[in-house]
C-alpha cells in the first residue's frame, strides 16, 4: 500500500511539474515574441522619426526625394550638388567628401528599381569622373538590377542606409 501511495504521489508530482514546465516554456516563448516585436516596432519608429525629421513622405515627388537624399548627406558632412534637371546623364546628385566624388541617382518608386537605372548611373559616373556610382531607392531593386550593379560596381542603397554612404565607398 505504501508503494502504491508513493507511486501515485510520484506520478502526480511528475505530471504537475511537467504541466508547470510546459506553461513556463509557453510563457517564455510568448515573452521572446513580444520582445522581438517590440524591438522591431521601436526600430521602425526610430527610422520613421529619422525620415520624418528629414522630411520623408510616401507621396513626395522625384525632385523632393532628391532634396531629401541631399539633406541626409549634408547632415553627415557631405558637400552635395544637384545636377541640372536636363542633360544630367543619369546623375541627380554629386556628393563630395575627402577623396570621394560620388555620383548618385535617386529613385522614388512604388516598385523595385530595374536595370535601366543601373545603366544610367554607371554611364553618369563615367561622364562626371566620379569615384563611385550609387543608386538610391525607397523601393528596393530587382534581381537583374542587383546582378548588373555587382558587375558594374554600382552601389545600391536604400535611403535609410544613405547616411552611411562613406562606409560603402571604400577607397578606389
Amino acid at each position: 500500500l505504501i508503494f502504491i501511495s508513493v507511486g501515485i504521489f510520484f506520478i502526480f508530482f511528475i505530471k504537475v511539474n511537467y504541466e508547470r514546465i510546459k506553461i513556463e516554456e509557453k510563457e517564455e516563448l510568448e515573452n521572446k515574441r513580444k520582445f522581438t516585436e517590440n524591438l522591431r516596432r521601436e526600430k521602425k519608429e526610430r527610422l520613421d522619426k529619422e525620415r520624418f525629421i528629414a522630411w520623408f513622405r510616401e507621396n513626395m515627388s522625384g525632385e523632393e526625394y532628391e532634396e531629401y537624399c541631399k539633406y541626409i548627406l549634408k547632415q553627415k558632412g557631405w558637400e552635395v550638388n544637384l545636377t541640372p534637371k536636363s542633360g544630367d546623364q543619369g546623375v541627380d546628385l554629386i556628393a563630395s567628401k575627402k577623396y570621394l566624388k560620388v555620383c548618385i541617382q535617386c529613385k522614388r518608386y512604388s516598385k523595385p528599381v530595374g536595370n535601366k537605372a543601373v545603366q544610367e548611373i554607371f554611364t553618369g559616373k563615367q561622364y562626371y569622373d566620379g569615384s563611385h556610382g550609387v543608386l538610391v531607392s525607397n523601393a528596393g531593386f530587382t534581381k537583374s538590377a542587383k546582378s548588373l550593379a555587382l558587375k558594374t560596381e554600382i552601389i545600391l542603397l536604400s535611403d535609410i542606409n544613405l547616411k552611411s554612404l562613406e562606409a560603402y565607398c571604400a577607397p578606389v
Side-chain angles (χ1 to χ4, degrees):
L1 189 64
I2 293 176
F3 287 121
I4 293 173
S5 296
V6 170
I8 292 172
F9 174 76
F10 187 68
I11 291 170
F12 177 74
F13 178 77
I14 289 174
K15 184 178 179 186
V16 168
N17 279 325
Y18 177 78
E19 289 174 2
R20 181 185 53 80
I21 289 170
K22 284 295 183 189
I23 290 170
E24 287 175 359
E25 286 175 349
K26 191 175 183 180
E27 288 173 353
E28 185 177 342
L29 280 173
E30 180 63 18
N31 288 339
K32 285 181 182 179
R33 187 194 62 75
K34 285 180 181 178
F35 179 75
T36 303
E37 189 178 293
N38 284 339
L39 282 178
R40 281 191 197 120
R41 190 186 79 253
E42 288 171 6
K43 182 178 181 183
K44 184 182 180 325
E45 287 173 359
R46 190 178 79 258
L47 291 173
D48 287 347
K49 183 178 178 183
E50 287 177 12
R51 284 177 135 192
F52 176 77
I53 290 169
W55 308 308
F56 181 85
R57 294 183 334 273
E58 286 299 330
N59 63 345
M60 65 175 37
S61 70
E63 288 180 4
E64 290 171 324
Y65 189 68
E66 291 171 17
E67 288 288 344
Y68 163 71
C69 291
K70 178 181 175 182
Y71 174 83
I72 291 170
L73 292 169
K74 282 188 160 284
Q75 292 299 308
K76 292 298 179 177
W78 289 83
E79 181 184 318
V80 186
N81 295 306
L82 287 164
T83 59
K85 295 298 164 212
S86 63
D88 66 8
Q89 304 300 323
V91 175
D92 298 318
L93 305 173
I94 298 176
S96 303
K97 192 175 195 181
K98 300 176 188 169
Y99 53 85
L100 299 171
K101 182 179 181 183
V102 183
C103 298
I104 303 169
Q105 186 177 68
C106 306
K107 292 293 186 186
R108 167 73 185 87
Y109 282 8
S110 58
K111 294 182 179 177
V113 176
N115 254 11
K116 186 174 183 253
V118 177
Q119 295 167 353
E120 290 171 355
I121 191 62
F122 178 75
T123 303
K125 176 187 158 235
Q126 306 305 318
Y127 181 81
Y128 287 102
D129 294 319
S131 62
H132 296 79
V134 176
L135 183 53
V136 180
S137 171
N138 65 305
F141 305 93
T142 64
K143 193 175 187 178
S144 63
K146 291 175 184 177
S147 177
L148 182 59
L150 189 62
K151 288 280 189 187
T152 57
E153 298 181 347
I154 294 299
I155 300 166
L156 303 179
L157 291 178
S158 142
D159 57 79
I160 293 169
N161 296 328
L162 188 56
K163 63 186 172 195
S164 303
L165 177 61
E166 195 168 358
Y168 290 94
C169 296
V172 177

